[in-house]
Amino acid sequence: MSKNIILTNQEIEHKIKRIAYQIYETFVDEEEVVIAGIASNGSIFAEKIALALSTISTLKISLCEVIVDKQNPHLPIQTSLTVTQYENKGLVLVDDVLNSGTTLIYAVRHFLNVPLKKFKTAVLVDRNHKKYPVKADFKGISLSTSLLEHVQVIFDENGNDYAFLS
């Protein structure tokens, strides 16, 4: 299988900054926003967004890791913050790739049981192959692919991030 690079490190950095500005515009009236990333790549992407957001805004930013069993998404979801730490606040649920929507919709369902001021979703790559009615409010790139193709995002420790289609 060949790797077709769809996002370079520089393009990912640009998309992170753009998403951070969009989040700031959406939550400008809030004092605090929770950036909740779906483990594992979604959490890394959430950290990068939170860092970019902290450089452009005065919002208090809390990071939350959301643990979803991707093979059994109906199982209870765990978060690194307690419910009281994110209730009545603005929250952005973050993942790297929105594929079928299964992981994102089950994570959304978890947060729907909590009173939130605002609730948005963000993804780096939206594949447009959804089984569920879920959408990304903030997205880096929309990509129409075949069901046989696979999108993978690599967040490298050395900062050489990229996304590819195989």
Side-chain angles (χ1 to χ4, degrees), residues 95-110:
D95 205 0
D96 61 339
V97 179
L98 174 51
N99 189 7
S100 68
T102 304
T103 304
L104 200 61
I105 197 108
Y106 278 96
V108 164
R109 185 183 76 170
H110 169 81

Side-chain angles (χ1 to χ4, degrees), residues 140-154:
I141 186 173
S142 284
L143 198 62
S144 293
T145 59
S146 77
L147 291 172
L148 300 175
E149 293 173 305
H150 180 73
V151 174
Q152 189 164 352
V153 178
I154 305 296

Side-chain angles (χ1 to χ4, degrees), residues 28-91:
V28 71
D29 297 336
E30 303 296 324
E31 290 179 23
E32 182 175 357
V33 65
V34 177
I35 309 293
I38 296 174
S40 57
N41 263 7
S43 292
I44 296 168
F45 188 44
E47 288 172 20
K48 290 174 180 285
I49 290 170
L51 182 63
L53 192 56
S54 69
T55 64
I56 61 168
S57 78
T58 56
L59 289 169
K60 180 178 185 283
I61 302 162
S62 299
L63 271 170
C64 177
E65 184 175 35
V66 181
I67 299 150
V68 179
D69 183 334
K70 293 186 181 191
Q71 271 59 51
N72 299 297
H74 58 278
L75 293 176
I77 287 169
Q78 298 174 6
T79 57
S80 61
L81 297 178
T82 64
V83 171
T84 54
Q85 289 175 296
Y86 54 79
E87 69 183 357
N88 298 314
K89 294 182 178 141
L91 188 136

